[in-house]
Amino acid sequence: MVKINDNYQKLQGSYLFSTIAKKVNAFSSAHPEKKIIRLGIGDVTRPLTPTIIKTLHASVDEMADEKTFRGYAPDLGYDFLRKAICDNDYRSRGCRIEEDEIFVSDGAKPDSGNIQEIFDADCKIAVCDPVYPVYVDSNVMAGRAGDYDEKTGRYTNVVYMECTAQNGFAPELPKEACDLIYLCFPNNPTGATLKKSELQQWVDYANKNGSVIIFDAAYEAYISDDCPHSIYECEGATQCAIELHSFSKNAGFTGLRLGYAVVPKELKRGGVSLNSLWARRHATKYNGAPYIVQRAGEAVYSEEGKKEIRGLIDYYMENAKYIVSGLEKAGYNVFGGTNSPYIWLATPDKMTSWEFFDHLLEKANVVGTPGVGFGACGEGYFRLTSFGSHENTREAVDRICNL
Ligand code: PLP
């Protein structure tokens, strides 16, 4: 009889958001008259902008004509998009990244889950706590995380870098040597960012220890100060870092699906180019993002596209401002929300994350995300997102403040 991959048995319970959905469904069935406002899941709500829509329509029309029809996309992405990415996200920032170091994909979630495949089964991974769960779960599936310890809520073979209010939610360099280090800044869920000098320390650590940093830059468009948008702004990062990007949170492509990974040619381990390994893996298991979506991605970098995308981000950040100032006035201890669409708050009256979740759902009919769902260090915290409409966000904050 065929045997299953036993590592899957080590994955913990149901995924955070399905537990939330179950609780919300149970509440709304019992109280159908209540208007629930969801500031939980990190999905966007604003529609795609006019330039993107226009480009999608035009590229659909190309598919209807024999002369302009496109079949399989190139495995690693169309040249027009790779060039737009390189020019706008790297060359304009003084980062030395070339088109053939860009791998177009269907998003940062798949890339962050898949990238571990090119590393040895025994390599030691390090993640922040709290953490975007995909980094851990993909390594659990690969058998790299060890066993789950019920007492600590952690896997035995993972190094958890604690991010707390004491260290400003910025991880400290691990004392033990780690091979694969996942960093995400601006951070989901805490909204924290790293200054260039702080990120440089990670690059130096990785180069000294032969580690590789997986830098998830899904939220870089939300940076409003001088924090680095890319890890390649740091000296030596092309020798130790892979960077992941998404078109989801800046341009609203959560439903269209588009992202990219940067694997520099200089990045080698054991004399082997990781760029070649990822190219091999990508070409074998992925058949390219759709032409019409890649054209829409290119339009994100047009002059009109950039203006419209700025408008989307400003819209969400206005919500973030309202949430932060409202909750602070009401006496909450609030973090994030300046360089990030996420607001991370300490629960009041020593409530656990889930107690506060139930409290908000029942008393204010507002849904957020319990911090403990992102790791043990998230206990006693709660995440709100600014991805709702202005109207709903204001109403939710006002309800919370009036509790
Ligand atoms: N990376 C982080 C840190 C995220 O929070 C998310 C989505 O919430 C993603 C990646 C997913 O990005 P994408 O929609 O491009 O798959």
Side-chain angles (χ1 to χ4, degrees), residues 15 17 41-43 105-112 131-135 183-189 216-219 244-249 253-255 257-260 342 374 383 387:
Y15 187 59
F17 292 109
I41 296 177
D43 196 0
S105 73
D106 56 346
K109 181 177 186 176
D111 281 344
S112 66
V131 65
Y132 177 55
V134 177
Y135 311 151
L183 295 179
C184 171
F185 291 97
N187 187 262
N188 175 14
D216 188 338
Y219 298 96
L244 311 179
H245 273 255
S246 169
F247 286 75
S248 288
K249 310 302 165 95
F253 279 33
T254 51
R257 307 306 308 147
L258 193 67
Y260 67 87
Y342 295 119
F374 299 98
R383 191 192 75 174
F387 287 127

Side-chain angles (χ1 to χ4, degrees), residues 71-381:
Y72 287 123
D75 300 322
L76 310 184
Y78 279 105
D79 288 344
F80 61 77
L81 179 58
R82 296 170 99 191
K83 178 168 176 355
I85 289 169
C86 246
D87 287 345
N88 289 279
D89 290 346
Y90 295 105
R91 292 190 182 114
S92 69
R93 298 195 170 112
C95 304
R96 289 204 332 268
I97 295 295
E98 300 298 327
E99 278 83 347
D100 58 359
E101 297 175 313
I102 309 279
F103 298 81
V104 175
S105 73
D106 56 346
K109 181 177 186 176
D111 281 344
S112 66
N114 292 330
I115 195 74
Q116 46 76 29
E117 285 186 28
I118 60 169
F119 297 95
D120 186 80
D122 285 336
C123 74
K124 188 90 169 171
I125 70 153
V127 296
C128 291
D129 180 0
V131 65
Y132 177 55
V134 177
Y135 311 151
V136 176
D137 285 357
S138 53
N139 279 288
V140 173
M141 291 169 176
R144 211 177 269 119
D147 294 316
Y148 186 72
D149 181 342
E150 294 284 349
K151 262 204 247 124
T152 59
R154 290 175 164 182
Y155 287 91
T156 51
N157 204 30
V158 173
V159 174
Y160 291 86
M161 307 178 292
E162 305 201 336
C163 297
T164 60
Q166 284 72 40
N167 59 21
F169 303 101
E172 282 145 34
L173 295 171
K175 305 231 169 358
E176 55 196 301
C178 296
D179 302 313
L180 205 51
I181 301 165
Y182 290 79
L183 295 179
C184 171
F185 291 97
N187 187 262
N188 175 14
T190 66
T193 41
L194 290 188
K195 297 262 167 250
K196 188 169 170 188
S197 57
E198 294 171 315
L199 191 54
Q200 184 67 54
Q201 289 178 15
W202 284 93
V203 169
D204 295 343
Y205 170 95
N207 276 329
K208 186 166 153 237
N209 291 290
S211 326
V212 169
I213 296 172
I214 310 296
F215 189 75
D216 188 338
Y219 298 96
E220 63 79 19
Y222 287 82
I223 293 174
S224 60
D225 60 16
D226 61 352
C227 285
H229 287 251
S230 163
I231 196 166
Y232 303 118
E233 291 175 46
C234 295
E235 198 73 36
T238 49
Q239 283 136 46
C240 67
I242 291 172
E243 183 162 284
L244 311 179
H245 273 255
S246 169
F247 286 75
S248 288
K249 310 302 165 95
N250 56 345
F253 279 33
T254 51
L256 273 189
R257 307 306 308 147
L258 193 67
Y260 67 87
V262 182
V263 189
K265 291 190 293 273
E266 278 184 354
L267 176 51
K268 294 186 178 153
R269 289 295 178 265
V272 178
S273 154
L274 270 54
N275 178 287
S276 313
L277 285 191
W278 188 241
R280 187 72 174 87
R281 189 270 170 210
H282 209 57
T284 302
K285 293 197 177 180
Y286 183 62
N287 239 347
Y291 171 70
I292 57 173
V293 178
Q294 294 198 48
R295 276 290 183 210
E298 182 192 29
V300 166
Y301 296 107
S302 66
E303 282 316 307
E304 316 79 69
K306 279 186 206 167
K307 258 189 247 146
E308 291 167 4
I309 267 74
R310 190 67 252 158
L312 284 180
I313 292 166
D314 290 346
Y315 182 96
Y316 293 130
M317 289 314 282
E318 196 179 317
N319 287 345
K321 228 180 183 170
Y322 194 87
I323 299 173
V324 170
S325 66
L327 294 182
E328 277 179 346
K329 261 189 236 140
Y332 284 86
N333 203 4
V334 183
F335 307 91
T338 49
N339 283 319
S340 147
Y342 295 119
I343 291 91
W344 188 241
L345 57 114
T347 59
D349 305 327
K350 299 209 165 80
M351 277 190 231
T352 66
S353 299
W354 279 109
E355 281 167 357
F356 189 64
F357 174 91
D358 291 334
H359 176 71
L360 276 198
L361 178 60
E362 282 159 26
K363 301 288 187 305
N365 313 138
V366 171
V367 180
T369 311
V372 71
F374 299 98
C377 288
E379 182 56 283
Y381 286 91

